[in-house]
Amino acid sequence: MTVEVDRDSQQKSFEDAYASLVAGNTESALTLYLDVLKDDPNNIFALFGLGSTLQRIGWLAEARATYEELLLIEPDNKGALTNMMTLISQESPDQALANLIRLHDINPWL
């Protein structure tokens, strides 16, 4: 029963974080995503939300690190790959192209 309450609470925090992000309340979204990750550090949805929030507020190095962490857990996560490529292409178009070729070689179906 306690596990269900924790999961319900975690789901509510995640939903609130997403709603905050969509509403433009990035400070609240950051806090809520971090709260979810305290209890479940491998939560791919919270990691993606955190990365997206960090990217939105311009904390690009932190966003990139968060996407990298997510991709260690789920290497084929298309949202994280897409956002990571956006960040890389802004930093270095040549590196982005090399990464795209590498990703295609690893999984041509992505």
Side-chain angles (χ1 to χ4, degrees), residues 13 16-21 24-35 53:
S13 292
D16 290 347
Y18 180 75
S20 293
L21 178 59
N25 188 349
T26 53
E27 185 175 326
S28 175
L30 281 175
T31 299
L32 291 165
Y33 283 127
L34 289 170
D35 285 346
T53 305

Side-chain angles (χ1 to χ4, degrees), residues 1-2 5 14 17 35 50 53 56 76-77 86 89 99 107:
M1 187 71 126
T2 304
V5 171
F14 177 74
D35 285 346
L50 179 61
T53 305
R56 178 177 279 187
D76 292 339
N77 186 293
T86 300
S89 68
N99 284 341
N107 188 348

Side-chain angles (χ1 to χ4, degrees), residues 67-104:
Y67 294 133
E68 288 172 351
E69 186 176 343
L70 190 161
L71 290 168
L72 287 174
I73 299 164
E74 189 175 286
D76 292 339
N77 186 293
K78 291 180 182 174
L81 287 169
T82 299
N83 286 2
M84 180 69 113
M85 292 308 301
T86 300
L87 290 173
I88 292 171
S89 68
Q90 291 171 348
E91 297 167 6
S92 169
D94 292 339
Q95 183 183 0
L97 180 58
N99 284 341
L100 279 173
I101 292 168
R102 182 182 59 79
L103 289 171
H104 181 266

